[in-house]
Amino acid sequence: MNDVKTIAQNVYKAYETFLDAGTTKLKNQILLSIAENIEKQKDYLIQENTKDLEKGKKNGLSNAMIDRLTLTDKRIKGMIQACHEIAALTDPIGRISEMNVRPEGFKVGRMRVPIGVIGIIYEARPNVTIEAATLCLKSGNGVILRGGSSSFYSNMALVNVLKDALKENNADPNLISYIESTDRKAVDELLVLDDLVHLIIPRGGEGLIKSVVEKSRIPVLKHYKGICHVYIHQDADMQMALDIAQNAKVQRPGVCNAMETLLVHKDVAAEFLPKALKNLQDAGVEIRGCEKTIAIYNKNVVKATEQDWYDEYLDLVLAVKIVDNESEAIAHINKYGSGHTDAIVTTNISTANSFIKKTDSSSVIVNASTRLADGGVYGLGAEIGISTDRLHARGPMGLEDLTSYKWIVMGEGHLRN
Amino acid sequence: MNDVKTIAQNVYKAYETFLDAGTTKLKNQILLSIAENIEKQKDYLIQENTKDLEKGKKNGLSNAMIDRLTLTDKRIKGMIQACHEIAALTDPIGRISEMNVRPEGFKVGRMRVPIGVIGIIYEARPNVTIEAATLCLKSGNGVILRGGSSSFYSNMALVNVLKDALKENNADPNLISYIESTDRKAVDELLVLDDLVHLIIPRGGEGLIKSVVEKSRIPVLKHYKGICHVYIHQDADMQMALDIAQNAKVQRPGVCNAMETLLVHKDVAAEFLPKALKNLQDAGVEIRGCEKTIAIYNKNVVKATEQDWYDEYLDLVLAVKIVDNESEAIAHINKYGSGHTDAIVTTNISTANSFIKKTDSSSVIVNASTRLADGGVYGLGAEIGISTDRLHARGPMGLEDLTSYKWIVMGEGHLRN
């Protein structure tokens, strides 16, 4: 078992070679080999996954955790499908979108290149191993994977499948590497190797992410929380407002782009809230309302505390607040929100523009559900995650967000005076 | 004197208000007010600068440091000029370069927005105060400045001028703030405020930058070193090669994009090196050559050690190495270089393309001097620095690199199925 620094050095070397060797054709061939090998090695993958499941049950993992850990037939088909989809994506590497001629006569442009070596630190779901590795491969990056110990056997089996595909296509198998040590210190060792690793993407709970940010000398792209709001403006179409509120909360409450707080303008609260809250309660949603909300609709409404405005429920729970105007709505969103996704329902174009300008979130949505905030829905083709950072990538991240650029200058003997 | 957290909270609040209030017109008015106030307050600025100079001389600062610290008439004119130039730049904020219609019928695009609150930590030169503050202002960001203690009085005077311009135009003076405490701990306090500050740009020596990277929980954009190479390929135009080598080393040796190592293909070494090294020596350059170099030209050539390939001389010193082929040249650059700026001189188009692809540097230059790697020369209008990072911005950074984006969705009641 190699130590973390040796792993990183080997991945770096593989990445460097791949700068030249990693043509679009070769990358796509490797992706198709991965898809084939997953299909061929299905029994082996399920056998190794079973080891994790047995260990998990013995260690008392929750049913939800066991579910996330399980490689079902459907999930294996999903991984194979993902490889084909990523192979079909346009290769961003090498593209020069603009080449300008400077007054002195030389040309200058920017060329898309891989970022370099990317470290992905993740928790239970073993399919992240395939998702992360294939997206890094298509964008020409080397990748160092470190999954949770609960999915150790599944991850190792998937990494073997990935490495086989690299070998079959005469590519360096070190391009996709895995930190086998389950010691937490191994992650700490990785996070200081800023001369070999160029980006860390942590995927998991808040604890994991905070710890990575605190320790890393390498730039981190992360996703903290999704405290998403829908604001019903006084000029909203009432039926549209009811549909959007319902969809944003109920369609899939456990994900980061589900609505957690509903804000309603005081002039339409008496009309909108009784219907909206009844619909939501019928779908099993627990309502926590401000005092003004309760004054309008008090059937099974718990009084919201200050903490409710800060909470990411990820569940069938909703905080509701009546506001006096747009300024109060936006101030609430910018104070209590997480800068993830916030929506307004209004027919007023000037209000919509003002809301877009003032709401400081990675996705600002007019007249649609917050649930649309997603790489696939936005048309990115594949999603490596959602960033709540403001540097490099913000919101849903696609293949292009795994690239950097270099400046290209083409001169004819040009000098600096 | 406010503590660092209070300063950051006030800047954040000013930034939020400015999201709406900071129109292009207002930003340009403030920039012109700054220019006017610098002119009007010239005597006050020079008087405060004199305090720093006297303190510096008493503390035994080197002549070079005293020079960098001095606010001359020319430098004050330069600051005024910079304000006018930044006012004349196109405002990147609010631009939506593309708005796509998704198959479901809603529109999605990305809008340029400020990053948020930017912390700039810098050393001696007081004109960085004006440069950094005006670029952050034009891009709508709040800024927290922290200059070196040696330029304390100059910086405070300049900050007063900046704040006066904000007040005169009814903008919140907290938008541009300065950490007055000269205690090093104040910087450490700033670097953990990742809920209030969104980017740190350290400008200064390697020690400062390493310390910031180690402690910061906030993303950092930085510039480590410039170990730049010029590779003379066997198909180079010899006169062009001589001119470029001379310019890259001699035109301004103390800056990060000056050449530190010259690589020469073995087939042209005997023709190229005697002339090139003679020219360089005539300009006062000390030559440190590999054994093969010395075998061809040994007049006053010191033998290069392994360390020489790693050194950033920033002086009239040059390391010279003869290589067998392009692969050896590129391997040398990627191993010993700093990923800053590297150039090739060749008439062969296929070699040029291959060099561009394989050289892992922020600027890759064909047939021109490494000294061209500069925001102004590239046409960025103004330069906030050069990044040797690969995330967000790489190489020379302009106004647009001080911006982020938000996703904008315009629906008509669209829901997620």
Side-chain angles (χ1 to χ4, degrees):
Chain A
M1 198 161 77
N2 280 326
D3 65 54
V4 176
K5 190 167 181 181
T6 307
I7 294 171
Q9 281 167 336
N10 290 338
V11 176
Y12 188 91
K13 213 176 129 200
Y15 147 72
E16 261 197 309
T17 311
F18 209 63
L19 276 178
D20 186 36
T23 59
T24 306
K25 194 176 164 190
L26 176 64
K27 292 189 287 190
N28 289 344
Q29 274 171 359
I30 298 168
L31 287 164
L32 299 181
S33 298
I34 294 170
E36 269 176 42
N37 289 354
I38 294 174
E39 179 68 51
K40 276 193 227 157
Q41 302 287 332
K42 213 166 88 175
D43 293 345
Y44 161 64
L45 292 174
I46 286 177
Q47 166 206 308
E48 294 299 302
N49 184 240
T50 307
K51 290 188 194 167
D52 283 328
L53 294 175
E54 281 167 5
K55 200 182 68 180
K57 281 170 196 159
K58 214 159 62 189
N59 293 344
L61 282 192
S62 69
N63 285 340
M65 287 288 278
I66 290 288
D67 174 62
R68 294 175 70 195
L69 194 53
T70 309
L71 281 183
T72 60
D73 255 22
K74 196 183 156 197
R75 282 182 186 160
I76 288 174
K77 270 191 193 136
M79 292 194 284
I80 294 169
Q81 176 69 14
C83 293
H84 286 281
E85 282 169 8
I86 291 168
L89 291 179
T90 303
D91 189 344
I93 300 302
R95 189 176 69 229
I96 301 171
S97 43
E98 232 183 18
M99 194 94 180
N100 295 309
V101 184
R102 297 294 301 148
E104 298 84 350
F106 64 88
K107 292 180 210 148
V108 60
R110 290 194 281 187
M111 180 189 272
R112 280 281 137 205
V113 297
I115 288 173
V117 176
I118 301 179
I120 315 250
I121 301 165
Y122 55 106
E123 289 178 337
R125 290 190 306 128
N127 49 328
V128 173
T129 308
I130 295 293
E131 262 178 58
T134 50
L135 282 166
C136 286
L137 175 74
K138 179 80 184 212
S139 47
N141 295 289
V143 64
I144 302 173
L145 300 161
R146 171 51 144 76
S149 57
S150 61
S151 50
F152 179 79
Y153 293 106
S154 315
N155 289 338
M156 289 308 300
L158 289 165
V159 168
N160 286 337
V161 164
L162 291 161
K163 283 184 178 286
D164 284 347
L166 289 168
K167 284 181 220 157
E168 283 162 26
N169 291 282
N170 299 314
D172 186 340
N174 287 326
L175 193 66
I176 300 173
S177 293
Y178 192 88
I179 296 177
E180 295 182 35
S181 162
T182 52
D183 190 340
R184 269 168 184 265
K185 277 186 202 149
V187 172
D188 298 352
E189 284 168 37
L190 178 67
L191 298 177
V192 297
L193 298 176
D194 52 345
D195 48 345
L196 293 168
V197 182
H198 308 102
L199 169 63
I200 297 288
I201 304 181
R203 289 182 61 167
E206 215 182 328
L208 170 73
I209 291 167
K210 281 206 187 285
S211 146
V212 166
V213 167
E214 206 166 302
K215 287 172 184 163
S216 186
R217 292 187 198 170
I218 303 165
V220 176
L221 271 179
K222 61 188 177 292
H223 174 279
Y224 270 132
K225 283 197 282 193
I227 302 166
C228 303
H229 301 74
V230 175
Y231 170 47
I232 312 298
H233 182 250
Q234 65 266 37
D235 294 341
D237 175 306
M238 278 298 120
Q239 188 56 48
M240 189 191 284
L242 289 169
D243 294 344
I244 288 174
Q246 190 77 7
N247 184 264
K249 180 70 250 180
V250 171
Q251 194 260 346
R252 200 171 165 200
V255 291
C256 61
N257 59 11
M259 168 176 67
E260 304 293 13
T261 300
L262 177 65
L263 301 170
V264 182
H265 190 276
K266 63 176 171 33
D267 291 353
V268 287
E271 181 189 355
F272 174 76
L273 276 178
K275 287 184 219 163
L277 299 188
K278 168 88 174 49
N279 291 348
L280 288 159
Q281 287 176 331
D282 287 350
V285 178
E286 177 192 330
I287 307 292
R288 304 192 185 168
C290 68
E291 275 183 28
K292 290 178 189 166
T293 299
I294 294 174
I296 288 173
Y297 183 90
N298 63 5
K299 199 184 149 203
N300 295 324
V301 176
V302 182
K303 186 161 177 293
T305 64
E306 172 77 3
Q307 185 55 42
D308 278 304
W309 314 126
Y310 285 111
D311 275 350
E312 185 188 25
Y313 302 119
L314 295 172
D315 205 348
L316 287 173
V317 181
L318 178 69
V320 182
K321 187 182 167 74
I322 293 175
V323 295
D324 282 351
N325 50 44
E326 192 206 339
S327 293
E328 193 187 340
I330 292 170
H332 182 99
I333 292 171
N334 289 346
K335 177 173 179 187
Y336 297 101
S338 59
H340 192 295
T341 299
D342 298 288
I344 187 171
V345 186
T346 183
T347 57
N348 187 310
I349 197 168
S350 145
T351 303
N353 286 336
S354 157
F355 186 83
I356 287 174
K357 196 170 171 188
K358 297 179 198 166
T359 303
D360 197 8
S361 304
S362 69
S363 282
V364 184
I365 293 182
V366 178
N367 293 335
S369 170
T370 54
R371 288 279 296 115
L372 296 190
D374 172 276
V377 176
Y378 283 179
L380 294 181
E383 186 182 281
I384 186 83
I386 293 185
S387 158
T388 54
D389 280 324
R390 294 155 186 241
L391 244 61
H392 186 75
R394 194 177 189 195
M397 294 190 285
L399 194 59
E400 181 134 349
D401 297 307
L402 295 179
T403 68
S404 179
Y405 59 82
K406 61 169 75 153
W407 292 88
I408 307 294
V409 174
M410 308 293 283
E412 295 173 34
H414 288 84
L415 309 176
R416 182 86 177 260
N417 298 316
Chain B
M1 198 161 76
N2 280 327
D3 64 56
V4 176
K5 190 166 181 184
T6 307
I7 293 172
Q9 282 168 335
N10 290 339
V11 176
Y12 188 92
K13 213 176 128 202
Y15 147 73
E16 261 196 307
T17 310
F18 209 62
L19 276 178
D20 185 37
T23 60
T24 306
K25 193 176 164 191
L26 176 63
K27 292 189 285 190
N28 289 344
Q29 273 170 1
I30 297 169
L31 286 164
L32 298 181
S33 297
I34 294 170
E36 267 175 43
N37 289 354
I38 295 174
E39 179 69 50
K40 275 192 226 156
Q41 302 287 333
K42 215 166 85 175
D43 293 344
Y44 162 63
L45 293 173
I46 287 177
Q47 164 206 313
E48 294 300 301
N49 182 242
T50 306
K51 290 188 194 167
D52 284 327
L53 294 176
E54 281 167 6
K55 200 181 67 180
K57 281 170 196 161
K58 212 158 64 187
N59 292 344
L61 282 192
S62 69
N63 285 341
M65 288 288 278
I66 290 287
D67 174 60
R68 294 175 69 196
L69 194 54
T70 308
L71 281 183
T72 60
D73 254 23
K74 196 183 157 197
R75 284 182 185 160
I76 289 175
K77 271 190 194 135
M79 294 193 283
I80 294 170
Q81 176 69 12
C83 294
H84 286 280
E85 282 169 9
I86 292 167
L89 291 178
T90 303
D91 188 345
I93 300 303
R95 189 176 68 228
I96 301 171
S97 43
E98 233 183 17
M99 195 94 179
N100 295 309
V101 184
R102 296 294 301 148
E104 298 85 349
F106 63 86
K107 292 181 208 146
V108 59
R110 291 195 279 187
M111 179 189 272
R112 282 280 135 204
V113 297
I115 288 173
V117 175
I118 301 179
I120 315 247
I121 302 165
Y122 54 106
E123 289 179 337
R125 289 191 305 128
N127 47 328
V128 172
T129 308
I130 295 293
E131 262 178 60
T134 50
L135 282 165
C136 287
L137 174 74
K138 179 82 186 213
S139 47
N141 295 288
V143 65
I144 302 174
L145 300 161
R146 171 52 142 77
S149 57
S150 61
S151 49
F152 179 79
Y153 293 106
S154 314
N155 290 337
M156 289 307 301
L158 289 165
V159 168
N160 286 338
V161 164
L162 291 161
K163 284 183 179 286
D164 284 348
L166 289 168
K167 284 180 220 159
E168 284 162 24
N169 291 281
N170 299 314
D172 186 341
N174 287 325
L175 193 66
I176 300 173
S177 292
Y178 193 88
I179 297 178
E180 294 182 36
S181 162
T182 52
D183 190 340
R184 269 169 185 263
K185 277 186 202 150
V187 172
D188 299 353
E189 284 168 37
L190 177 67
L191 297 177
V192 297
L193 299 175
D194 51 345
D195 49 345
L196 293 167
V197 183
H198 308 101
L199 169 62
I200 297 287
I201 303 180
R203 290 181 62 167
E206 215 182 328
L208 169 74
I209 291 167
K210 281 206 189 286
S211 145
V212 165
V213 167
E214 205 166 304
K215 288 173 183 162
S216 185
R217 293 188 196 168
I218 304 165
V220 176
L221 271 179
K222 61 189 176 292
H223 175 280
Y224 269 133
K225 282 197 284 193
I227 302 167
C228 303
H229 301 75
V230 174
Y231 170 48
I232 310 299
H233 181 250
Q234 66 266 37
D235 294 342
D237 176 304
M238 279 299 119
Q239 187 57 48
M240 190 192 283
L242 289 169
D243 293 343
I244 288 174
Q246 190 78 7
N247 185 264
K249 181 69 248 179
V250 171
Q251 193 259 346
R252 200 171 164 199
V255 292
C256 60
N257 59 10
M259 169 176 67
E260 304 294 14
T261 300
L262 176 66
L263 301 169
V264 183
H265 190 277
K266 64 174 169 31
D267 291 353
V268 288
E271 182 188 354
F272 174 76
L273 276 179
K275 283 184 219 163
L277 300 188
K278 168 88 174 48
N279 290 350
L280 288 159
Q281 287 176 330
D282 286 350
V285 178
E286 177 191 329
I287 307 293
R288 305 192 186 168
C290 68
E291 275 184 26
K292 290 178 189 167
T293 299
I294 293 174
I296 286 172
Y297 182 90
N298 64 5
K299 199 184 148 203
N300 294 325
V301 176
V302 181
K303 187 161 175 293
T305 64
E306 173 77 3
Q307 185 56 41
D308 278 304
W309 313 127
Y310 285 110
D311 275 349
E312 186 188 25
Y313 302 119
L314 296 172
D315 204 348
L316 287 173
V317 181
L318 178 70
V320 182
K321 186 182 167 73
I322 294 175
V323 295
D324 282 352
N325 50 45
E326 192 205 340
S327 294
E328 192 188 340
I330 292 169
H332 182 99
I333 291 170
N334 288 347
K335 177 172 179 191
Y336 297 101
S338 59
H340 193 295
T341 300
D342 298 289
I344 187 172
V345 185
T346 183
T347 58
N348 187 308
I349 196 167
S350 146
T351 303
N353 286 336
S354 159
F355 185 84
I356 286 173
K357 197 170 170 188
K358 297 179 198 166
T359 303
D360 197 8
S361 303
S362 69
S363 282
V364 184
I365 293 183
V366 178
N367 293 335
S369 170
T370 53
R371 289 279 297 117
L372 296 190
D374 172 275
V377 176
Y378 283 180
L380 294 181
E383 187 184 278
I384 185 83
I386 293 185
S387 158
T388 54
D389 280 324
R390 292 153 188 243
L391 244 61
H392 186 75
R394 196 177 188 195
M397 295 190 285
L399 193 60
E400 181 133 348
D401 297 305
L402 294 180
T403 68
S404 180
Y405 58 83
K406 60 169 74 155
W407 293 88
I408 306 294
V409 174
M410 307 294 284
E412 295 173 35
H414 287 85
L415 309 176
R416 182 85 177 259
N417 298 315

